[in-house]
Amino acid sequence: QVQLVESGGGLVQPGGSLRLSCAASGRTFSTYGWFRQAPGKEREFVAAIRLSIGRLDYADSVKGRFTISRDNAKNTVYLQMNSLKPEDTAVYYCAARILPRVDLKYDYWGQGTQVTVSS
């Protein structure tokens, strides 16, 4: 059974840090991604890691502040978030792709975890 289980969300002050985790089970994937959605807004891309070539991609809004990584032994993907801003407040979703796709869609999604940046 394929499953993505997220954890690590919560409340943090502006300028603080938070690390999100996404534990994958059931199979292996070629790509892992993080997305977020704020109330009343569309879902947006945050970061992705492509395992075949070790490529990392980030949205311009989080470059230099967020880092995506993977622990192969635990089959877990992380999103380290530093220098957090109030505008980072959103529900964060982990996603995974089984094989490379021309449409760049993801095959599986986690349940989402709330991140709130506020003083």
Side-chain angles (χ1 to χ4, degrees):
Q1 184 176 19
V2 176
Q3 189 174 15
L4 301 176
V5 180
E6 301 173 342
S7 62
L11 175 65
V12 64
Q13 295 182 334
S17 299
L18 202 63
R19 188 180 74 166
L20 305 183
S21 299
C22 175
S25 62
R27 67 161 300 141
T28 57
F29 303 95
S30 66
T31 304
Y32 296 87
W34 286 97
F35 295 78
R36 67 187 183 186
Q37 186 169 21
K41 297 184 178 180
E42 296 293 321
R43 182 187 65 193
E44 65 173 336
F45 169 79
V46 176
I49 180 169
R50 311 178 199 279
L51 301 181
S52 62
I53 58 175
R55 174 174 173 170
L56 307 178
D57 293 288
Y58 299 95
D60 290 340
S61 60
V62 305
K63 285 182 179 178
R65 299 188 299 120
F66 290 12
T67 302
I68 186 171
S69 62
R70 178 172 181 263
D71 185 327
N72 293 334
K74 297 182 178 180
N75 198 21
T76 299
V77 177
Y78 303 96
L79 183 67
Q80 178 66 47
M81 304 183 293
N82 299 325
S83 302
L84 284 164
K85 306 174 181 179
E87 49 264 43
D88 293 320
T89 296
V91 176
Y92 283 70
Y93 297 91
C94 175
R97 181 184 299 138
I98 298 174
L99 296 172
R101 299 174 59 128
V102 295
D103 60 8
L104 301 181
K105 292 182 178 180
Y106 285 80
D107 300 299
Y108 297 96
W109 293 81
Q111 79 286 354
T113 183
Q114 177 70 47
V115 172
T116 302
V117 184
S118 176
S119 60

